[in-house]
Amino acid sequence: MNKPALDVRGLCMDFGGLRALNKVDLEVRQGEIAALIGPNGAGKTTFFNCITGIYAPTEGDIHVLPDGENRVRINGRKPNHVTELGMARTFQNIRLFPSMTVLENVMIGRHCRNRSSILGAVLRDGHTRRQEDEVISRSYEMLELVGLERWANELATNLPYGAQRRLEIARAMATEPFLLLLDEPAAGMNPQETRRLKDLIDHIRETYHIAVLLIEHDMKMVMSVSDRIYVMDYGQRIAAGSPEEVSKNPEVIKAYLGEDADD
Amino acid sequence: MTSPILELRSIDTYYGKIQALYGVDISINEGEIITLIGANGAGKSTTLMSICGVTPPRKGQVFFQGRDITRTSAEAIVAQGICQVPEGRLIFPGLTVTENLDMGAFLRNDRNGIRQDMERVFELFPILAERRRQAGGTLSGGEQQMLAIGRALMARPKLLLLDEPSMGLAPLVVRQIFDIIVQINKEEGTTIFLVEQNANLALKIGHRGYVMENGVITMEDDCATLLADDSVKKAYLGL
Amino acid sequence: MDYFLELFFGGLTRGSIYALIALGYTMVYGIIELINFAHGEIYMIGAFTGLIVAGVLGTLGFPMLGILFVALACAVIWSAAYGYTVEKIAYKPLRNAPRLSPLISAIGMSIFLQNYVLLAQTSDFLPFPQLTPDLAFMGPLKSFVSTSELFIIGSTALVCVGLTLFIKYTRMGKAMRATAQNRKMAMLVGIKVDKVISATFVIGSALAAVGGVLIASHIGQINFYFGFIAGVKAFTAAVLGGIGSVPGAMLGGLILGWTEAFATGYVSSDYEDVFAFALLVLILIFRPEGILGKDSTQKV
Amino acid sequence: VGCGEQKKEETAAGQGTEEAASEETVAEPAGEIVLGVPGAHSGDLASYGLPTVNAAELVAEKINAEGGVLGRMVKVVAQDDECKPEKATNAATKLLSEGVHVVLGHICSGATKAALPIYTETRIVCMSPSATNPPLTQSGDYPNFFRTIASDDAQAQLGVDFAKKIGLTTIAVIHDKGDYGKGFASFARDFVEADPDMNVVLFEGVTPGAVDYSAVVQKIKNSGADGVIFGGYHPEASKIVSQMRKKDLDLPFISDDGVKDDTFIKVAGEYAEGVYASGPRDISGNPLYQVALDAHKAKYGTEPGAFFYEAYSAALALLNAIEKAGSTDYDAVVNALRTEYVDTPVGKIKFDAKGDAEGVGFSMYQVQDGEYVELQ
Amino acid sequence: MREVIRALLVSLWFVFLTFPILVIKVDTINDIIVWRWMNSLYIGLGVLLLQGIWHAWRHLRTLRKEDRERDTIAWIVLVCLPVLWLAWVATRNTQKPLHPADRVLMLLVAPLWLVDYLRSPAKREPQWHDWPCMILFPPSLLVRGYFALFRKGGEKVSIPGVEQPSLMQVMLENQKAMRPLYLLILILAACYPQMVEFYQTNIMVNFMIWIVLGLGLNIVIGLAGLLDLGFVAFYAVGAYAYALLNHHFGLSFWYVLPIGMVLGAVCGLLLGYPVLRLRGDYLAIVTLGFGEIIRLVLENWSSFTHGPSGISNIDRPPFVTDLSIMQATEYMYYIMLGLLLLTIFVVTRLKNSRIGRAWLALKEDEIACQAMGIDKTKTKLAAFALGATWAGLVGVVFAAKTTFINPMSFTLMESIIILSIVVVGGMGSIPGVITGALVLILVPEWLRGVEEYRMLAFGAFMVMVMVFRPQGLVSARRKVYQYDKAKAVSAHE
Ligand SMILES: Nc1ncnc2c1ncn2[C@@H]1O[C@H](COP(=O)(O)OP(=O)(O)OP(=O)(O)O)[C@@H](O)[C@H]1O
Ligand SMILES: Nc1ncnc2c1ncn2[C@@H]1O[C@H](COP(=O)(O)OP(=O)(O)OP(=O)(O)O)[C@@H](O)[C@H]1O
Ligand SMILES: CC(C)C[C@H](N)C(=O)O
Ligand SMILES: [Mg+2]
Ligand SMILES: [Mg+2]
């Protein structure tokens, strides 16, 4: 339970003259739900982008430990390698494949867990067919997980906003990650929908025993779902700890939460 | 109160062949803050776009200050004093922060006024002042949201339409934004039409509110009444 | 050294020609992301209009300089009118269509306009009168630049500077930049998007017409196909410089012109285009958005 | 499978049945002679193909007005091939399906080579006014092919001999990268190189349609050549000559009959003065030349374009051969072409066994006072 | 009334617009100026008429907005107008050269393929064997009737909230109904050379070559979304591979066919590799440059490629006995039919496979795609290579069919036409590509009769299709994955 899954040390990221991340250390343990919070522009999304290979960090080490034992350094790896290793993410601004169906979106997530060749695709031999069936059934399972199965053949773009967020989660889950990175999953959801999302995250952790790293501005959700919270401001980590600790931390209150923390 | 500044008379709006709004009636009086709440996909953003003429309604009419603007083009509607902060942070990604703000004042000609307003926006959102020369597209999600709001303020509209202004903003900033809304409403008399998922806050600052479900207005009342309403509490306040 | 300079000025002329046409491409692309294949044809129509006007005025016995200005003016007016009409017919209905549809529509327009001129006028080459006067002081420089070349280089430079200032400082320029970035949002801040797009086409076409008349008068002949190759080259130049950027178009045109001139001069003109395109590939590999293009990497 | 099958077998069977097929069509009330005119009628090479259509129309009109050939009216059927091989085969097969008797075309050598096997097999005479590639006649592969224009090598020889005569020693050979221009230029290079007194200092192709040629002109200047031989057509030639003259480069400029065209003089204006170009001998003194020119001006209101006279001549030759042969029979027509002289704008001609025109006779012309003057 | 004034103004605008080019004709060679004032009149009236038609059409649209299917009107415009026009032409003496008034009409009505049929053959009576090709291709009414029968039979996959599927879509999704039709088409295709003239067979071979080219490019552009304006280069590679190998080493068609494919694929990889980083239109210009480079090399490297004069006397595919040209073309027809079916089969399979999905996803959002574990480089390269393979393949066929090739056949215009086939037909759709090739290759070929106006109409037609059907004539259809729980469970075990 407390073997590490992600270990980031001294991560820095510069954009021209702007230092968006400054020596950030962060650790996520197997099976835990961690949250990353901080004011707007603190560098949270940039952190995600760095560890998933979309940006190449300027400095620092990123290690993942898929099984909790073997450390793999992933600096400079391509995003698809990172995903293959078992880290999957969602995006702050939704990035679905809008004119593919919901089911197909999830099937894309299965791509990297599959090895059927071009020749196989043409000949459609037994192996390929079995794999295709497996892709469909697993994808469908993911849709059931997030409760979108009845939309399976709908185009992704036609889903309401909240459903699109859940679809992103399903798609990420289809890659069989050991660590799931969620960037503001509750944005644009009303309180009730947010609560259902929280239940979903809990459920995912329970069923698949995977770790979750979450960026979120909805404090009610963050406080209730996470085991551990990291707080960033101006690219720096300013606090870390359990929800109680963080919400009492004066620096965090000043920079982020404001006076009456729980609205 | 005087005659309504904006009035929607049973409008129907379609996306291609799909109907998104069904006979929506809304009326807003001058100087009011009106809140519109509803679940995802209820048609709130569509309502705003219908007012602005981006997706003009197929049936029904929209009146602004007594004039029929149903068939008026979007830019002409803006010229009459309606300004919108659209959902999804529609900023000009390649322009710098300053240029983005400048675009908000496209229809204005008073240079000094524009400069003052820009300073005011920078005061409201200091982080934007820091990012002055950065391209809008590289801002963080929250910064983009602030920029979009700032840009709308630059237009000094008579009627301000806000589509989920608090989305993606830190709690501190959210409260700040709501303060600003109340402030410009009080001080400048700007009429505000607010669409929000954060129903709690929105209903607190609003005068009257509407509830929308599946493209239909299902409730209309004073905000205080709505806040107290059980069904609203259950469905939108998460209590 | 003389040889080098001669090639240099040759390349400069050629590059200016490309740049003058490339400006229209770049403006249109910048604003609606459309490779306006019909732009070369607009340029050709400009040249034809100039020729027709010059022909008519010539028989009436107008003075040379007078003809130049009237021909230029008419070419500009009609090219702009064609640009405007083409946009209204072939591109405007496709504002929200899949990305490649307007491209095909543009190609169709290009074929249509070519054959329209072919049928309405002639398939043969027509001599184009030299409209630019030979300036006396240019005599000694003749082996480097001729007067008509000077005219082309000068007007390209002028147009480029003018256009840059226009886009940077005028209201219309501001509106163009905004429209280019995000059309829906431009509407929401009160910009008349349709007008802005029309204006872009009109300006781009007018520039093409200026180019058409000057270049035709420099080359001395035109036919209906005269816009196609120039169009492709100009498009290449626009991409090389970073499509959407006005100084980029200028720079791209010049680089292309010089590459071709020096490739011809020092290697062989057999492969001048090969050099031009190879350079393009090279530059784009190292700067995928063109030399002066804005980095379009998006934040996720 | 009914008559379709039957018809195809007929044509496929070749020999003799062709006549039967034409008899069949002759039996129809109109009884026309179908003159196919395939060539480039659209696209960038249209200006070389369309004049041939005009020529064919004019000849047909003239002959029809005089009562036709063998009492039958001549009908012109034009087919576009854009100078592309694949389109040329389409055009050729289309002509077959239209019951063509003789073909005036194609325009480009490439298209001609692609289409010829079809005509050869179906035994249809094909005469081009412009396809100059030597193997078309010299290879002997195409007994049904004729042309009213000199082949590239013949003209190149003439040009090189002339260059020697006016005392040139170092020569720049320029071409337009095209089939014709490059063919001509390569032969010219070979001939020059074969001559111990002369040598080639520059052999380059220019890109047709390019906006300017100053770099090539500078290169000619830099190469130290004392004369230029150019293979290609007048649009490029006039651009190059003008730029050479503008840069004070007054080298002799020798070219081919793609340049020996009055348009060249009009386009290049004063710069054309002194340019040499080879072409069929003594053409403007020919009364038929005037007839053709006047007819064109009367009908179309403009000067005729490229290959007009060659095409006009070819049309006359073809129809004359049918007249002389007394039928559209292949062997008879071929025979008539090879034996009977016919008066045409390019001279009194017949064809040799390979298919090249005899009696055309090429000579060198020079532009003097805005006109091509034949040099002795 | 305002409408009328507007229409008049628009007409006047066009009169103004066309004034210099259409009215004044200068001949600077002879300093002749011809004024053709009548043209203004024709244009004015023509534009008025057009607007009349347009308004009528709009009126029709609004009349039955709810139950109308857009296609009905489209087909009316595409089929009835030409037929009316045809009737009008048929009542005239067509021997005379075209009257200027015809010319205006020519501008208005693009698909006139029937005209050719009535006008061109000097004295041929319509024969029964001319009909199959006519019935086969303008499918409107027949197909409608046919599907009226099957409408209910096939299950219609309708996604709620998505636009009502168009007739074409319904038709194509209705697999059950399609099967007999496919069979019929196949039988007809097999019998085709036996029923028609040499010419028709000949152009059919070309037609099929273009379809395969279109299908190849469709992989690159329709599926993977990579805009390639130099596709013809691979075609050239195939053609020259065969021509040169045949010329120098006498290799036969059948050996070179696979070689051409491999060479195409290799070239695809070579081009693909350096340009992978480029997006959208930058890719377009680089591929355009690549296409031009290949052509220029073919043109200039005379010692190797024979330069512009090309390579002649290329062998046709060998057969047990010697064939006449007609027989050889027929033979070629069957070879090409086979290859076409193979292509369709393979492309369909690819499209609905793992890699096909990856392509589609890549087209929509590269970053998301990578984040989902798709290797962008590999996937794009695969698209380039697989697309180029088919071009290489038909390049070989092309060289063998024309027996002569030169660089003229591989210009930018060819690339553009292939691209147009894909887009006009409907990106990503196989029937779309076939339709595209039909309207852009076959119809113009049939239209040979109206020579002069052919290209004019061609251009106008491209614009019209895009304006009225921006997504192409046939919208792409995608496999709908059905989840069958019972089956899936057994598959798991
Ligand atoms: N590509 C880039 N170029 C320049 N600056 C960038 C780039 N990406 C991000 N930034 C800057 O880095 C800072 C951190 O951005 P980031 O998106 O990580 O913030 P965030 O913590 O996710 O904020 P939010 O909660 O508002 O989404 C911001 O100030 C932003 O302007
Ligand atoms: N561009 C579009 N094309 C087709 N349908 C659309 C489009 N935009 C929205 N819709 C549909 O219209 C309906 C109303 O959407 P709208 O965006 O107005 O909802 P909303 O109330 O603003 O929701 P949210 O809280 O998610 O912003 C939804 O069902 C949505 O799927
Ligand atoms: C029109 C020209 C390109 C024809 C040329 N004479 C040839 O032999 O091909
Ligand atoms: Mg963020
Ligand atoms: Mg909304």
Side-chain angles (χ1 to χ4, degrees), chain D residues 114-185:
Chain D
L116 264 178
I118 296 170
Y119 300 128
T120 313
E121 188 135 348
T122 50
R123 297 164 61 80
I124 288 176
V125 171
C126 171
M127 187 181 291
S128 170
S130 61
T132 49
N133 195 278
L136 278 171
T137 50
Q138 291 167 14
S139 69
D141 287 345
Y142 314 110
N144 58 334
F145 180 74
F146 299 87
R147 62 180 157 207
T148 50
I149 192 165
S151 65
D152 293 336
D153 53 348
Q155 282 201 59
Q157 187 67 58
L158 186 69
V160 172
D161 288 347
F162 184 80
K164 193 173 165 73
K165 203 167 106 194
I166 59 173
L168 305 182
T169 51
T170 50
I171 295 184
V173 180
I174 307 295
H175 59 86
D176 66 356
K177 298 187 190 171
D179 193 352
Y180 171 56
K182 194 167 182 183
F184 173 87

Side-chain angles (χ1 to χ4, degrees), chain B residues 7 21 53-54 56 60 62 83 106 127-129 136 141 144 146 152 156-157 173 176 182 195-196 220 227:
Chain B
E7 202 179 354
L21 297 184
V54 176
V62 183
C83 189
F106 183 79
I127 185 117
L128 289 186
Q144 291 183 357
M146 295 180 212
R156 291 202 166 259
V173 187
Q176 202 188 337
V182 174
V195 169
E196 254 301 337
E220 172 197 349
L227 261 179

Side-chain angles (χ1 to χ4, degrees), chain D residues 47-371:
Chain D
S47 58
Y48 300 120
L50 290 173
T52 298
V53 183
N54 292 350
E57 300 266 4
L58 289 173
V59 171
E61 253 168 47
K62 186 174 143 224
I63 291 203
N64 287 344
E66 291 164 2
V69 176
L70 303 175
R72 294 154 67 181
M73 294 293 120
V74 177
K75 182 177 173 227
V76 173
V77 178
Q79 295 296 344
D80 186 12
D81 69 11
E82 295 170 44
C83 270
K84 300 198 161 146
E86 74 276 19
K87 298 256 166 78
T89 60
N90 290 353
T93 48
K94 176 71 184 173
L95 283 175
L96 288 190
S97 77
E98 305 246 328
V100 72
H101 296 107
V102 282
V103 172
L104 169 57
H106 297 220
I107 296 301
C108 295
S109 301
T112 313
K113 278 187 207 160
L116 264 178
I118 296 170
Y119 300 128
T120 313
E121 188 135 348
T122 50
R123 297 164 61 80
I124 288 176
V125 171
C126 171
M127 187 181 291
S128 170
S130 61
T132 49
N133 195 278
L136 278 171
T137 50
Q138 291 167 14
S139 69
D141 287 345
Y142 314 110
N144 58 334
F145 180 74
F146 299 87
R147 62 180 157 207
T148 50
I149 192 165
S151 65
D152 293 336
D153 53 348
Q155 282 201 59
Q157 187 67 58
L158 186 69
V160 172
D161 288 347
F162 184 80
K164 193 173 165 73
K165 203 167 106 194
I166 59 173
L168 305 182
T169 51
T170 50
I171 295 184
V173 180
I174 307 295
H175 59 86
D176 66 356
K177 298 187 190 171
D179 193 352
Y180 171 56
K182 194 167 182 183
F184 173 87
S186 319
F187 283 110
R189 179 190 52 192
D190 296 346
F191 294 140
V192 169
E193 259 158 15
D195 190 315
D197 300 336
M198 300 201 285
N199 64 321
V200 175
V201 289
L202 189 66
F203 183 79
E204 292 247 332
V206 298
T207 312
V211 291
D212 87 337
Y213 293 125
S214 64
V216 168
V217 170
Q218 306 290 11
K219 201 167 182 188
I220 296 173
K221 192 172 169 186
N222 204 42
S223 72
D226 59 8
V228 178
I229 292 182
F230 174 76
Y233 294 97
H234 65 81
E236 275 68 49
S238 62
K239 280 191 238 177
I240 294 176
V241 168
S242 312
Q243 286 201 326
M244 278 171 63
R245 302 300 186 243
K246 280 186 198 162
K247 309 256 175 217
D248 282 337
L249 191 63
D250 278 321
L251 304 178
F253 190 89
I254 300 170
S255 194
D256 48 30
D257 80 332
V259 173
K260 210 220 133 258
D261 185 327
D262 286 341
T263 316
F264 171 73
I265 305 179
K266 303 280 183 185
V267 171
E270 47 172 322
Y271 303 116
E273 278 305 300
V275 165
Y276 302 99
S278 54
R281 183 179 300 149
D282 159 29
I283 193 171
S284 57
N286 191 327
L288 269 172
Y289 173 89
Q290 275 307 324
V291 171
L293 175 61
D294 293 342
H296 190 277
K297 279 198 175 155
K299 180 155 185 205
Y300 302 101
T302 53
E303 261 326 281
F307 306 117
F308 175 75
Y309 300 108
E310 284 85 354
Y312 199 92
S313 306
L316 284 179
L318 284 171
L319 296 176
N320 177 66
I322 296 178
E323 180 88 56
K324 291 278 157 62
S327 78
T328 52
D329 175 55
Y330 171 72
D331 295 309
V333 171
V334 168
N335 191 36
L337 282 170
R338 297 212 173 117
T339 52
E340 303 282 346
Y341 273 100
V342 53
D343 265 322
T344 69
V346 295
K348 198 172 166 73
I349 54 171
K350 76 176 177 67
F351 296 86
D352 63 18
K354 286 180 185 153
D356 279 316
E358 277 172 6
V360 176
F362 270 65
S363 57
M364 197 48 93
Y365 290 77
Q366 185 178 29
V367 183
Q368 294 173 2
D369 298 326
E371 256 178 69

Side-chain angles (χ1 to χ4, degrees), chain A residues 15 18 20 40-46 55 92 184 217, chain B residues 131 134 138-143, chain C residues 299:
Chain A
F15 293 111
L18 180 79
N40 296 118
K44 306 178 294 296
T45 303
T46 307
Y55 295 154
Q92 179 166 10
E184 299 198 22
H217 287 299
Chain B
R131 302 264 182 271
Q134 192 169 323
T138 61
L139 295 179
S140 84
E143 289 164 351
Chain C
K299 189 175 176 297

Side-chain angles (χ1 to χ4, degrees), chain A residues 227-240:
Chain A
D227 301 322
R228 190 211 309 247
I229 297 178
Y230 292 92
V231 190
M232 285 177 66
D233 191 14
Y234 282 105
Q236 261 163 326
R237 197 180 100 176
I238 56 170

Side-chain angles (χ1 to χ4, degrees), chain E residues 280-477:
Chain E
D281 301 325
Y282 287 92
L283 186 67
I285 188 73
V286 170
T287 48
L288 182 155
F290 178 75
E292 286 293 278
I293 289 177
I294 294 268
R295 185 180 61 84
L296 290 167
V297 168
L298 293 178
E299 239 171 46
N300 289 314
W301 193 2
S302 292
S303 53
F304 180 62
T305 64
H306 295 214
S309 56
I311 301 170
S312 52
N313 292 328
I314 304 166
D315 291 340
R316 293 173 193 278
F319 191 65
V320 278
T321 59
D322 274 349
L323 297 176
S324 74
I325 281 213
M326 284 83 176
Q327 292 162 329
T329 307
E330 211 171 290
Y331 181 39
M332 203 75 231
Y333 176 92
Y334 288 112
I335 292 177
M336 199 53 225
L337 189 62
L339 291 176
L340 176 64
L341 292 177
L342 174 75
T343 316
I344 293 180
F345 172 78
V346 173
V347 173
T348 316
R349 282 278 165 99
L350 281 177
K351 192 174 139 186
N352 295 327
S353 71
R354 170 172 173 267
I355 188 151
R357 278 195 306 272
W359 284 332
L360 286 172
L362 205 56
K363 176 165 126 186
E364 305 216 338
D365 191 330
E366 279 191 14
I367 294 179
C369 233
Q370 283 186 288
M372 286 306 115
I374 291 176
D375 189 334
K376 188 172 109 184
T377 317
K378 254 200 220 157
T379 314
K380 278 190 177 178
L381 279 179
F384 264 113
L386 285 173
T389 308
W390 301 110
L393 175 84
V394 285
V396 175
V397 176
F398 173 71
K401 187 206 154 234
T402 43
T403 69
F404 170 84
I405 55 167
N406 68 4
M408 281 297 293
S409 305
F410 311 104
T411 63
L412 175 59
M413 202 56 208
E414 269 70 37
S415 286
I416 288 180
I417 299 285
I418 306 174
L419 173 68
S420 306
I421 287 178
V422 176
V423 181
V424 166
M427 288 227 291
S429 153
I430 292 170
V433 170
I434 298 176
T435 316
L438 178 78
V439 297
L440 294 184
I441 301 295
L442 215 47
V443 171
E445 190 54 53
W446 279 336
L447 269 179
R448 273 183 176 278
V450 291
E451 202 79 326
E452 296 172 61
Y453 300 99
R454 194 161 61 111
M455 289 311 280
L456 193 76
F458 183 75
F461 177 73
M462 272 164 80
V463 175
M464 272 177 31
V465 171
M466 285 297 104
V467 169
F468 291 107
R469 281 196 75 90
Q471 74 281 38
L473 291 170
V474 182
S475 335
R477 167 180 67 107

Side-chain angles (χ1 to χ4, degrees), chain C residues 92-125:
Chain C
K92 188 165 171 235
L94 294 174
R95 287 282 157 74
N96 301 316
R99 235 176 49 80
L100 285 180
S101 306
L103 179 70
I104 298 302
S105 185
I107 291 171
M109 255 302 160
S110 161
I111 296 176
F112 179 85
L113 289 177
Q114 263 178 30
N115 285 277
Y116 159 68
V117 174
L118 167 77
L119 292 174
Q121 294 288 325
T122 170
S123 65
D124 293 330
F125 280 87

